[in-house]
Amino acid sequence: MGRGQRKLLLVVLFASAWPVSGQTHRQTLPEQAEKQGSVRVERYFSSEGRDEGIDGLIIESSAIVRGMVVAERGYLTKDQTSVNTDYTIEISDAYMGQIVGHQVSVTKLGGTTFVNGHRIEVDTPQFPALPHEKPLILFLRNCAEARCEFEIVADAWGVAPLRAGRIDCSSMRDGRENPWWKPYCDLTESEFRTQLQEHIARVKPGSSPK
């Protein structure tokens, strides 16, 4: 489940971001928006090579937390060819790792921003925007970039929504067809935490909060 195994496919709607014959400059999203009035881009991730399940998520994670989104901010990437969103997560519990403070920032590909009044949207249909005010269990790893605090392991597969205190597989990207989460669907949070701690003790001993 290494990062090198992830493939990214890009579909551009309303305007093309790729150079045509004779072009040497790849248009930035603001340049496209200036011409078109708005830009919408879709990005898709391949799940090829992702078959390690919960143990694989744990191994790649720096922290596993329970929390809710309380704020978000979309912005252009440095090269202005994509949009990221920084989510502020209010932490209510930590299952693994040491979290400083009650909030963390989690960066996710995709989102919406405005440049000179023009709407720029990067949509990730396989990994929709994180919902606000809904409890989530998040598998997080430290970002490689200095300005980013955490990112979600394995994209949508590293998020487990909770509903009425139970793992809510029905609202996951792959729902109950996701083999990683199928054994945990409808477990209470307490039951899931017990099983998760057993996995952590086996594959990453000594990393649970004291």
Side-chain angles (χ1 to χ4, degrees):
M1 188 170 59
R3 298 185 195 185
Q5 293 173 308
R6 183 168 67 181
K7 295 181 180 179
L8 183 63
L9 307 177
L10 178 64
V11 178
V12 181
L13 307 180
F14 308 132
S16 173
W18 300 102
V20 296
S21 179
Q23 276 190 322
T24 58
H25 171 66
R26 178 182 173 184
Q27 283 188 322
T28 65
L29 294 179
E31 287 172 338
Q32 295 175 60
E34 190 67 31
K35 294 179 180 179
Q36 303 294 326
S38 65
V39 173
R40 180 173 178 267
V41 173
E42 290 186 357
R43 287 192 172 177
Y44 295 86
F45 296 98
S46 169
S47 60
E48 181 180 344
R50 291 180 174 166
D51 57 359
E52 298 92 339
I54 291 294
D55 286 354
L57 289 175
I58 293 169
I59 289 169
E60 283 204 33
S61 295
S62 307
I64 304 173
V65 302
R66 181 191 193 277
M68 290 195 299
V69 175
V70 295
E72 67 177 83
R73 180 181 70 89
Y75 57 91
L76 287 169
T77 55
K78 187 175 181 180
D79 63 5
Q80 298 193 335
T81 62
S82 191
V83 173
N84 285 342
T85 298
D86 285 348
Y87 291 92
T88 301
I89 308 293
E90 186 79 27
I91 302 299
S92 56
D93 204 351
Y95 298 163
M96 189 188 85
Q98 301 298 324
I99 300 295
V100 178
H102 299 291
Q103 292 186 341
V104 296
S105 176
V106 175
T107 299
K108 173 190 171 300
L109 173 67
T112 301
T113 189
F114 290 84
V115 176
N116 296 327
H118 301 302
R119 180 185 176 92
I120 297 175
E121 178 183 2
V122 173
D123 185 26
T124 52
Q126 296 164 305
F127 190 5
L130 298 179
H132 282 241
E133 303 299 331
K134 180 173 184 176
L136 305 169
I137 295 173
L138 299 154
F139 289 74
L140 305 175
R141 65 182 166 212
N142 298 109
C143 291
E145 297 180 10
R147 68 160 307 281
C148 168
E149 186 177 6
F150 288 105
E151 60 186 1
I152 298 171
V153 175
D155 309 316
W157 289 12
V159 181
L162 294 167
R163 181 170 61 180
R166 294 180 178 272
I167 301 293
D168 181 21
C169 291
S170 65
S171 63
M172 292 181 182
R173 184 193 71 180
D174 297 320
R176 297 178 185 273
E177 298 304 314
N178 184 338
W180 292 14
W181 285 103
K182 189 174 182 179
Y184 311 103
C185 294
D186 295 325
L187 287 184
T188 66
E189 183 180 357
S190 177
E191 291 168 336
F192 174 72
R193 179 170 188 157
T194 297
Q195 293 195 29
L196 180 64
Q197 294 299 333
E198 292 173 355
H199 283 268
I200 293 171
R202 184 175 67 251
V203 303
K204 213 168 187 179
S207 56
S208 294
K210 304 299 182 183

